[in-house]
Amino acid sequence: MKANVWKRIETVVAGPLFNFILAFIFSLILVGFCGSDKPVIQATMVGYPAEAAGIEPGDLITKIGNEKIHIYRQISLISAINQGENLDIEYVRDGKTYTTTIVPQYDEETGRYYIGILGSGEIVECKGFDLFKYSIYEIEYWFGYTFKCLKMLVGGKLTKDDVAGPVGMTQQIEETYEAVKPYGVSSVVFTMMELAMLISVNLGVLNLLPIPALDGGRVFFLVITAFFEKLIGRKIDPKYEGYIHTVGLVLLMGLMVIVLFNDVVRLING
């Protein structure tokens, strides 16, 4: 408590920062060995919006709405979470840039909207500068994935069944392992590494949320403390910080119990 506020902030931020560094190391290894998925369209679904909008196989998608597209999984994620909103798409064909608007089509059978674009048909081999560039794109994708999921959770578009705790995560890892095991040791290693990267980014982002008891809550409180200490010219009693984080910790533990209970119920119900 004797350290100044900014030194304490540096100490608190060190944990989430390590999560991001670890994720980037995983990203370098994965991209170096496996390459990256270039956002080039392999095919369009007959009768779906992408085909009607003029998208063709071989087109390179560069932007959707305000989001720049670097890897194909960004397109998949945007499509998967779309709730029927129009999508302004920028793409390159034969060196020329075009724009079009796609109105996603709802599918009653699957209960989701589709834009009608099928998987990437091109893998980028990443060496030299491209290795670092696409590793950053990889981390950027998982950041986007995490923030989009949080936004959907806060907006009520995700249910309790879409949220997993330690038990649910363990089950998911086991299922993923069983699914990729037939493809060999390297597939298992790289898949587990990708899961570890996702978890590292998730932990880093969640820890920085301005919620009491989390690192982000501590940083937020320390910044407010620094402001008021400068304003009133004296230190704020640290016990108040303790009270706030204690309440946050109790609420967080309550949430963890609910998530854990939900995991166990799902596991029992199979």
Side-chain angles (χ1 to χ4, degrees), residues 111-122:
R112 55 159 286 192
Y113 287 88
Y114 287 92
I115 60 179
I117 290 176
L118 296 178
S120 172
E122 195 170 326

Side-chain angles (χ1 to χ4, degrees), residues 175-212:
E175 290 174 356
T176 303
Y177 170 77
E178 292 297 331
V180 300
K181 186 169 65 171
Y183 298 99
V185 176
S186 60
S187 294
V188 172
V189 170
F190 291 139
T191 301
M192 292 301 109
M193 197 174 290
E194 187 167 31
L195 281 174
M197 179 169 57
L198 168 60
I199 292 170
S200 293
V201 171
N202 268 250
L203 287 175
V205 171
L206 292 175
N207 269 327
L208 285 177
L209 293 178
I211 298 173

Side-chain angles (χ1 to χ4, degrees), residues 220-262:
F220 180 75
F221 187 86
L222 288 170
V223 170
I224 296 298
T225 297
F227 173 77
F228 276 103
E229 285 181 356
K230 192 168 184 179
L231 188 67
I232 64 179
R234 60 183 176 85
K235 289 188 174 294
I236 295 176
D237 193 329
K239 70 179 181 181
Y240 296 116
E241 180 182 356
Y243 293 152
I244 292 173
H245 292 311
T246 299
V247 172
L249 182 61
V250 171
L251 293 175
L252 192 61
M253 291 297 290
L255 178 61
M256 290 176 65
V257 169
I258 293 171
V259 172
L260 180 61
F261 175 77
N262 190 48

Side-chain angles (χ1 to χ4, degrees), residues 3 6 11 66-67 74 81 86 109 157 176 191 193 205 232 235 254:
W6 300 111
T11 302
N66 295 319
E67 182 176 346
Q74 289 177 270
I81 66 175
N86 291 359
E109 187 176 342
K157 294 177 182 178
T176 303
T191 301
M193 197 174 290
V205 171
I232 64 179
K235 289 188 174 294

